[in-house]
Amino acid sequence: MSDIGRTSAVALVGVQGSLVEVEAHLTSQLPAFSIIGLPDTSLGEARERVRSAAAMADCPLPARRITVNLTPASVPKRGSGFDLAIAMAVLAAAGTAPGADRGVVYVGELGLDGRVRPVPGIIPVVLAARAAGIGRVVLPVGNLTEARAVPGIALTAVDSLRSAAIDAGADLPAGFADPVLPPPVPDDTLPSLELADVVGNAIGVRAVIAAAAGGHHVLLLGPPGAGKTMLAERLPALLPDLDPDAALEVAAVRSVAGHGERSWTLRPPWEAPHHSASAAALIGGGTGQLRPGAVSRATRGVLFLDEATEFPRVVLDALRQPLEAGRITVHRAGGSAEFPARCQLVLAANPCPCGNAGSTGGAGCSCVPSAVRRYLGRLSGPLLDRIDIRVAVPRVTTGMLRADSGATPTTAAARRTVLEARQRMSTRLRGTGWSRNAEVTGSWLREEGRAADGATDLLDRGLDLGTLTMRGWDRVMRLAWTMADLDGDDRPERQHVERALALRTAL
């Protein structure tokens, strides 16, 4: 009988997984069960779950001293997903499951009745196993559908510890248990809304189409009822489907966030947190297991902040770094975790506390200038400098309705225009690591991506006068490239730069 058994598991930190070797050593001392290797409280409780589950599976643990080591010890291990790997390592050391070895990753939580329960974050676990060269993962039945999103690795679903032991060569009578399935997750996909329903907001429609084509951030400023939310909610329908790599990145974040079988999607995600959300809810955090925030759950999609000026300024300013870097690192006393945060930010706000500033007709603005300044001051200058498109959305009048009747493109037509522009971007940026104009760097814009001669005179003058920052210059030029792509031109001309500058300063 072997005294040492080995299996493999995966420790998750954020959406990154590290391979962990689970060693079980049996000695002829007084019966005891200890787990070492930097386990957290929930993992330390695995002793009782494993002991009870093994008894229910007709393969009770031997009455010997059992020491389980999780190596490397420097990697934090959290959660109950190590239960199955620990149980199989002990059964391998006892000779009950000779086929269990470190070439197989085991993941799953054990119930006291021996059944294997699904765990969150199964997609990054399987991704980490594949990246480490593991050929097979044994996982709960309730996680199988979710895990199939990861290609190139064999998956074996088990309903109980008995099934996992039989799979590893245990001489046990076959038995079937009712599998534990995850609770249903509501469909959070935003329905495809019709862009043609928007009338009288030609500038807003152009802004949304440009944002969808180039991946630009947007600020919509206007009085209540002007259609800001209506415009923002039609943006996701204009975006193209995710490519396989992007869809897998999105699925990994959604899996950690607990979306279960709905983790896999080809549509860009949509997140719209309430203005009472805290900074941790927006950027991620929590106690124990660090969870992705709204900015990470919206990666490759849209983060919509309605009533943006009602968010605390410190919450909004927390978005500045992830918007620039495309990633967010959450630091806590127990460690840190990195999450992707490559999303489009759409802000909608009223121009003042009463909402009537700048409106013609009707009730005038009753706010004192200092109140308006404080209200709009929650949108800090550095945050606004990262917003490529900033437009005013006025109230619609009957004259605007008559003038704009039938002029707004349908969602299908606008989406075709966006897809054609994206194709031109993809061809031009092939091999650079970028796919959208909003991602290119300033050095590219001043070298390979130079505009036509004389096209940037307005921007150069603004830079010299101090009315435009270097970051602002870059962002206008990124938007100018999008204008050129929408028009089918090879390089931004002066009119493209003027239109881009107009969309950035149309407040």
Side-chain angles (χ1 to χ4, degrees):
M1 180 188 299
S2 173
D3 288 331
I4 295 182
R6 293 183 176 88
T7 58
S8 292
V10 170
L12 277 184
V13 179
V15 293
Q16 303 297 321
S18 301
L19 194 67
V20 172
E21 183 175 330
V22 182
E23 301 175 312
H25 184 215
L26 307 184
T27 60
S28 299
Q29 296 176 344
L30 290 176
F33 195 154
S34 60
I35 300 176
I36 59 176
L38 206 59
D40 70 344
T41 302
S42 61
L43 182 49
E45 294 170 349
R47 297 187 300 268
E48 304 308 321
R49 291 193 296 270
V50 169
R51 192 183 299 278
S52 178
M56 295 298 293
D58 294 332
C59 49
L61 303 185
R64 303 170 67 184
R65 181 175 181 82
I66 303 171
T67 303
V68 173
N69 181 37
L70 308 176
T71 182
S74 58
V75 176
K77 293 92 179 174
R78 300 185 178 95
S80 57
F82 290 84
D83 289 2
L84 185 59
I86 291 172
M88 294 304 296
V90 175
L91 294 180
T96 305
D101 59 47
R102 55 188 170 187
V104 179
V105 162
Y106 290 91
V107 57
E109 176 185 336
L110 291 177
L112 298 182
D113 58 358
R115 292 188 298 173
V116 183
R117 299 176 178 274
V119 294
I122 196 67
I123 290 179
V125 166
V126 178
L127 282 171
R130 187 184 68 176
I134 299 295
R136 189 164 72 102
V137 174
V138 178
L139 72 170
V141 171
N143 285 133
L144 181 60
T145 302
E146 182 182 353
R148 282 175 174 158
V150 183
I153 189 167
L155 303 173
T156 301
V158 294
D159 54 21
S160 63
L161 178 58
R162 177 198 292 268
S163 298
I166 293 174
D167 175 73
D171 185 14
L172 296 172
F176 299 94
D178 293 331
V180 181
L181 301 179
V185 178
D187 187 3
D188 60 348
T189 305
L190 190 71
S192 180
L193 302 176
E194 181 52 61
L195 185 63
D197 292 342
V198 180
V199 291
N201 275 323
I203 293 179
V205 170
R206 286 199 295 271
V208 168
I209 293 175
H216 305 284
H217 306 310
V218 187
L219 168 62
L220 304 172
L221 192 70
K228 304 183 296 295
T229 303
M230 190 178 187
L231 283 166
E233 289 178 342
R234 279 147 181 79
L235 174 59
L238 307 182
L239 299 176
D241 287 343
L242 301 173
D243 61 60
D245 290 339
L248 204 53
E249 181 183 45
V250 170
V253 176
R254 288 166 62 87
S255 179
V256 172
H259 286 259
E261 295 181 358
R262 295 192 182 275
S263 297
W264 176 261
T265 178
L266 291 176
R267 293 301 302 150
W270 164 269
E271 288 287 330
H274 191 260
H275 58 74
S276 61
S278 64
L282 206 59
I283 67 172
T287 57
Q289 188 79 19
L290 298 180
R291 298 292 183 183
V295 69
S296 296
R297 297 194 303 272
T299 192
R300 306 285 184 171
V302 178
L303 174 63
F304 176 47
L305 302 185
D306 201 3
E307 305 294 346
T309 43
E310 297 295 336
F311 282 80
R313 178 167 176 166
V314 66
V315 174
L316 293 174
D317 282 346
L319 293 172
R320 286 156 52 177
Q321 186 270 338
L323 289 181
E324 197 73 19
R327 306 194 71 81
I328 178 70
T329 302
V330 181
H331 294 273
R332 293 294 182 268
S336 63
E338 186 179 76
F339 298 99
R342 190 169 301 176
C343 64
Q344 276 185 261
L345 177 65
V346 179
L347 303 176
N350 295 331
C352 67
C354 76
N356 294 317
S359 298
T360 57
C365 178
S366 59
C367 305
V368 297
S370 60
V372 176
R373 285 195 301 272
R374 283 196 304 271
Y375 189 72
L376 294 179
R378 297 179 186 178
L379 302 176
S380 65
L383 177 63
L384 288 176
D385 205 30
R386 289 166 167 81
I387 307 297
D388 299 350
I389 301 174
R390 306 187 295 216
V391 296
V393 182
R395 283 199 178 104
V396 179
T397 64
T398 54
M400 296 167 66
L401 284 174
R402 295 190 188 99
D404 196 47
S405 180
T408 304
T410 64
T411 294
R415 192 165 189 264
R416 284 194 298 271
T417 302
V418 169
L419 289 174
E420 290 170 1
R422 285 283 184 105
Q423 183 59 46
R424 281 188 280 273
M425 293 177 207
S426 177
T427 302
R428 180 176 64 251
L429 300 175
R430 184 178 293 119
T432 64
W434 308 313
S435 60
R436 304 175 301 175
N437 289 331
E439 300 170 359
V440 301
T441 62
S443 59
W444 183 89
L445 290 168
R446 288 179 285 279
E447 295 176 5
E448 298 95 327
R450 286 192 303 273
D453 293 340
T456 63
D457 289 348
L458 283 173
L459 304 186
D460 297 340
R461 191 177 306 118
L463 193 62
D464 292 338
L465 294 176
T467 58
L468 194 68
T469 65
M470 195 69 244
R471 181 191 288 126
W473 192 99
D474 291 345
R475 291 192 175 277
V476 173
M477 283 309 303
R478 292 169 185 168
L479 188 53
W481 266 108
T482 300
M483 296 293 108
D485 288 328
L486 288 170
D487 288 347
D489 294 331
D490 294 331
R491 192 169 291 273
E493 302 287 345
R494 185 180 182 88
Q495 67 268 21
H496 299 130
V497 176
E498 290 174 347
R499 283 159 52 194
L501 189 60
L503 282 180
R504 183 173 172 83
T505 58
L507 289 180

